[in-house]
Amino acid sequence: MATVVGAGLGTAAAHAELGYPEKEELKFGFIKLTDMAPIAVAYEQGYFEDEGLYVTIEAQANWKVLLDGVIDGRLDGAHMLAGQPIAATMGFGTKAHIITPFSMDLNGNGITVSNEIWDQMKPNIPKMDDGRPVHPIKADALKPVVEKYKAEGKPFNMGMVFPVSTHNYELRYWLAAGGIHPGYYAPHKGDTSGQIDADALLSVTPPPQMPATLEAGTIYGYCVGEPWNQQAVFKGIGVPVVTDYEIWKNNPEKVFGITAEFAEKYPNTTIRLTRALIRAAKWLDENNNANRPAAVKILSQPNYVGADYDVIANSMTGTFEYEKGDKRAVPDFNVFFRYFATYPYYSDAIWYLTQMRRWGQIPEDKSDQWYKDLAAQVYRPDLYMAAAQSLVADGLAKASDFPAADEDGFREPQTHFIDDIVYDGTKPNDYINKFSIGLKAGDKL
């Protein structure tokens, strides 16, 4: 554990601990998605420099290359899938102790299907008086389509971005809630396809390649972050049917990942980079998203996301376009600071672990305590609060911007899921056993 100020210490003590950065020149990695925005904004607004940090930001080819870069030290930290530090620390895939002092955002993903699949789904979807579909659209509308393909002997292929990505678990959650089995993993048997017993076959496609893969007919749908759902609308090749906000309202999305070794070796640098990211997230949401157009301009640069301004703005400025012309207000599609979005809650980490167990990436039962202990190894609210309290002491934030100093790291039970199942992070095994599709206590493939 890094020897820095804990979450419970007072503001003055936190501030007194903040020394010069031990490492000033840093390189951070990211994937070309709008939710990398806090890193770009911290750079462009000079927040890193305010902390004495001289940062280089570099796009990475895919999530594995990015993770490997952090592990081998080529990168000092990176925009990561929330599941990556958890899986790495657990030893699923590459084994390494990765931590996060900062959660990057809430929401921001969608599920898109091809025009052909949409045409087959539409008759199954209730309509409003004006003829537009009623949202949220559940996977119940897709189930007859998948069954038809199965009956014809055609595999129903869908894309997600990485086996431990939010997108994988959100797509699986949505499908399973509609009675479509997304398949199991059996790593203990050497099967990491995730397609055992599957009705829909999920496989990895890097985010920027999703629209082209859909257009080519290789996949019939995908779950991805922005701007790659809106890109399908702009290109006229697909229809986003549901956002992750509708699957799980205000779900945690990406995190900023560093190695545990980095945090121990460079404690002041760790707090300072967290301060810069907190300030960037705050800027992104302040004054009712007034800075979003400026943020979109930054993100549209080729060195960041590099998509057209209009494509990025479609979701970043509080709207979301489903079927072409059906643009609806979704003010919380991208949340960077509201609702304590940046605080690394243990219960967020545990939700990912419950889904890893549900789909077989964790092959056998674990105790509730195991889930809590692993979450506490990876998610570091102590580092976050040290940074937050020092910002308050410097007059750069208000105490009310952050959870209370005695926060235990667990959100209240969450009720806003598309299947109405309640999630209580303090009782992971009870939660896992609530699902009709998925492994339960005692199950092993």
Side-chain angles (χ1 to χ4, degrees):
M1 298 282 278
T3 53
V4 294
V5 179
L9 294 189
T11 304
H15 191 227
E17 289 288 318
L18 191 60
Y20 291 106
E22 303 87 353
K23 186 174 186 184
E24 297 174 348
E25 292 190 14
L26 303 169
K27 183 184 280 188
F28 297 151
F30 71 95
I31 298 292
K32 292 193 167 201
L33 294 159
T34 54
D35 56 24
M36 66 76 62
I39 300 174
V41 168
Y43 181 86
E44 296 290 339
Q45 291 290 108
Y47 299 148
F48 287 133
E49 282 198 12
D50 287 351
E51 301 297 334
L53 305 175
Y54 302 96
V55 172
T56 306
I57 304 168
E58 193 177 88
Q60 305 296 298
N62 57 52
W63 292 113
K64 185 180 186 315
V65 167
L66 176 143
L67 178 65
D68 289 347
V70 173
I71 292 169
D72 67 24
R74 184 178 58 79
L75 298 171
D76 294 295
H79 164 232
M80 284 188 185
L81 299 159
Q84 282 188 295
I86 301 164
T89 300
M90 184 173 69
F92 181 81
T94 311
K95 172 77 174 157
H97 189 184
I98 308 286
I99 66 164
T100 179
F102 177 86
S103 187
M104 288 189 67
D105 63 319
L106 304 177
N107 312 318
N109 298 333
I111 295 172
T112 292
V113 298
S114 69
N115 293 334
E116 178 191 359
I117 299 301
W118 175 242
D119 288 342
Q120 295 175 64
M121 284 177 69
K122 268 180 106 167
N124 310 324
I125 300 167
K127 303 212 173 19
M128 300 190 295
D129 291 343
D130 64 7
R132 293 184 302 158
V134 173
H135 280 268
I137 294 171
K138 297 188 175 184
D140 307 52
L142 180 64
K143 192 177 183 191
V145 184
V146 173
E147 287 172 343
K148 175 173 161 284
Y149 276 68
K150 275 186 82 176
E152 293 169 0
K154 290 194 276 191
F156 196 88
N157 297 318
M158 299 190 81
M160 48 78 185
V161 308
F162 203 68
V164 296
S165 66
T166 324
H167 319 76
N168 186 22
Y169 304 127
E170 287 169 349
L171 182 52
R172 286 169 173 274
Y173 199 103
W174 182 72
L175 290 168
I180 301 167
H181 201 307
Y184 292 122
Y185 294 85
H188 56 299
K189 295 180 176 178
D191 189 336
T192 55
S193 71
Q195 298 182 351
I196 298 167
D197 297 340
D199 298 324
L201 304 175
L202 278 52
S203 59
V204 170
T205 304
Q209 292 170 31
M210 288 286 190
T213 311
L214 185 76
E215 192 172 18
T218 313
I219 53 177
Y220 298 121
Y222 56 69
C223 183
V224 74
E226 282 308 308
W228 308 116
N229 296 289
Q230 295 300 288
Q231 185 81 319
V233 179
F234 271 72
K235 292 183 77 172
I237 59 169
V239 176
V241 290
V242 68
T243 66
D244 59 348
Y245 180 82
E246 296 163 311
I247 298 169
W248 173 13
K249 181 180 173 182
N250 292 334
N251 64 90
E253 199 4 62
K254 302 293 191 309
V255 296
F256 189 81
I258 55 178
T259 63
E261 181 187 15
F262 181 96
E264 285 158 17
K265 196 170 175 185
Y266 310 120
N268 294 336
T269 305
T270 298
I271 299 302
R272 286 185 172 281
L273 70 85
T274 305
R275 279 167 53 99
L277 291 170
I278 290 172
R279 289 181 69 193
K282 189 170 182 294
W283 181 89
L284 278 158
D285 278 13
E286 69 191 8
N287 300 328
N288 202 21
N289 292 357
N291 295 323
R292 291 297 180 87
V296 172
K297 196 169 180 183
I298 292 169
L299 293 174
S300 62
Q301 294 173 197
N303 53 316
Y304 294 124
V305 179
D308 288 349
Y309 180 95
D310 290 344
V311 174
I312 298 174
N314 230 21
S315 61
M316 267 283 273
T317 53
T319 60
F320 191 81
E321 192 166 9
Y322 295 94
E323 204 173 4
K324 207 169 186 88
D326 183 3
K327 190 182 270 200
R328 306 191 187 195
V330 188
D332 285 340
F333 182 83
N334 281 119
V335 172
F336 293 99
F337 196 68
R338 292 188 292 280
Y339 320 128
F340 303 141
T342 53
Y343 184 91
Y345 283 95
Y346 297 140
S347 49
D348 291 351
I350 291 168
W351 187 83
Y352 288 102
L353 288 166
T354 65
Q355 301 308 295
M356 291 176 187
R357 171 64 187 131
R358 182 184 181 186
W359 303 119
Q361 291 173 330
I362 298 171
E364 57 209 5
D365 289 343
K366 302 289 185 184
S367 68
D368 282 356
Q369 193 59 48
W370 180 89
Y371 285 94
K372 292 169 188 173
D373 289 346
L374 187 61
Q377 280 184 60
V378 179
Y379 276 48
R380 295 291 300 277
D382 58 323
L383 299 178
Y384 177 90
M385 288 303 284
Q389 289 168 342
S390 69
L391 287 172
V392 173
D394 288 346
L396 294 169
K398 302 189 298 288
S400 59
D401 290 333
F402 307 106
D406 60 356
E407 167 65 59
D408 67 0
F410 286 84
R411 296 179 189 269
E412 290 295 308
Q414 291 169 277
T415 56
H416 300 291
F417 286 84
I418 200 161
D419 56 5
D420 297 320
I421 290 176
V422 176
Y423 169 56
D424 181 348
T426 66
K427 299 171 182 172
N429 280 296
D430 284 359
Y431 180 63
I432 291 163
N433 288 333
K434 289 178 181 179
F435 296 106
S436 57
I437 296 179
L439 299 178
K440 294 175 188 55
D443 290 348
K444 184 169 180 179
L445 292 174

